[in-house]
Amino acid sequence: MNGAGTTSDGMDTNKNHQPIRRLTNSAESIIIYFSRSGSTELLASKIENKTNADILEITVQEPYPSNYPKTLARANAERERQDYPELNMALPNLDQYKTVYLGYPVWAMTLSHPMHSFLNTYGRQLSDKMIAPFMSEGGYGQGDSVQVVKESLSQRGAVNNRFTSALVVDGNQVDHVDKQVNDWLR
Ligand SMILES: Cc1cc2nc3c(=O)[nH]c(=O)nc-3n(C[C@H](O)[C@H](O)[C@H](O)COP(=O)(O)O)c2cc1C
């Protein structure tokens, strides 16, 4: 139940390029996502292309190893201690946005830790937004991740959120999900 064997893993997305951060004064939607090995990032870029939303990547102080077992060991230890990673990003003012597309990989059948950290740190600033959760996973589905997003937001004092259905994509199939993405965006 840990996604071992999924071919998408094995490379931190920011090893070879700067974190993604494309912001305008005019967009009414923003995509905020974390991706360790690129699948959620690819899905985020598809959503960006289809919506013209702004886009912001969540990054952590200490990136996860590209080595999958090492990442798993770190993630397991973090989860046991509920010790979520420190972020190294700045959140822009979100006033202009009505919709936040919130993207993450599923880890251990729940929300991956950088998104935990993001919601714990900035959740309150998502008040009044429509939240559109999207995720990539290794074949075991969304787990309780959306529930955890909802709980984290309300614990951080976010109010007046509405939620769309979640877009759940197998990380190895992101290249083949354009129709699913289009249908979800409708
Ligand atoms: C620490 C860790 C735990 C994972 N746990 C699960 C899981 O419980 N269920 C699942 O389907 N996939 C699991 N996966 C696989 C990832 O969800 C999947 O490969 C995802 O597409 C990775 O997204 P990314 O490339 O954006 O990081 C796990 C991956 C990692 C690194």
Side-chain angles (χ1 to χ4, degrees), residues 1-13 33-43 64-65 67-76 79 103-110 112-113 135-143 169-174:
M1 296 283 275
N2 57 25
T6 54
T7 56
S8 63
D9 286 303
M11 193 175 72
D12 185 88
T13 56
Y33 74 95
F34 169 76
S35 180
R36 170 178 159 270
S37 56
S39 297
T40 309
E41 182 160 280
L42 183 59
L43 189 55
Y64 287 85
N67 176 285
Y68 182 78
K70 282 189 185 156
T71 289
L72 207 56
R74 174 173 158 189
N76 288 343
R79 193 168 51 258
Y104 51 86
V106 174
W107 284 2
M109 301 308 288
T110 188
S112 40
H113 302 177
M135 70 201 77
S136 75
E137 42 83 38
Y140 297 98
Q142 61 183 293
V169 168
D170 183 322
N172 294 318
Q173 300 294 322
V174 183

Side-chain angles (χ1 to χ4, degrees), residues 89-161:
M89 57 180 286
L91 189 70
N93 185 312
L94 298 181
D95 286 355
Q96 80 192 65
Y97 305 110
K98 295 195 170 98
T99 300
V100 177
Y101 296 97
L102 213 54
Y104 51 86
V106 174
W107 284 2
M109 301 308 288
T110 188
L111 197 59
S112 40
H113 302 177
M115 185 56 82
H116 259 291
S117 301
F118 178 81
L119 294 172
N120 284 338
T121 310
Y122 297 118
R124 202 185 183 110
Q125 293 175 57
L126 300 187
S127 283
D128 302 312
K129 309 299 182 195
M130 171 74 87
I131 307 291
F134 68 96
M135 70 201 77
S136 75
E137 42 83 38
Y140 297 98
Q142 61 183 293
D144 69 358
S145 63
V146 173
Q147 196 50 41
V148 174
V149 169
K150 289 179 179 171
E151 284 165 10
S152 301
L153 284 173
S154 82
Q155 275 166 14
R156 302 326 290 183
V159 293
N160 293 330
N161 289 121

Side-chain angles (χ1 to χ4, degrees), residues 28-103:
E28 293 195 345
S29 309
I30 184 169
I31 301 160
I32 301 177
Y33 74 95
F34 169 76
S35 180
R36 170 178 159 270
S37 56
S39 297
T40 309
E41 182 160 280
L42 183 59
L43 189 55
S45 74
K46 285 181 184 291
I47 295 168
E48 181 192 18
N49 289 339
K50 292 169 196 291
T51 60
N52 282 322
D54 286 354
I55 184 163
L56 174 69
E57 181 174 3
I58 296 172
T59 52
V60 294
Q61 292 281 4
E62 213 185 301
Y64 287 85
S66 54
N67 176 285
Y68 182 78
K70 282 189 185 156
T71 289
L72 207 56
R74 174 173 158 189
N76 288 343
E78 286 175 348
R79 193 168 51 258
E80 269 160 33
R81 298 196 306 268
Q82 298 204 9
D83 175 17
Y84 300 119
E86 241 182 85
L87 305 178
N88 71 341
M89 57 180 286
L91 189 70
N93 185 312
L94 298 181
D95 286 355
Q96 80 192 65
Y97 305 110
K98 295 195 170 98
T99 300
V100 177
Y101 296 97
L102 213 54

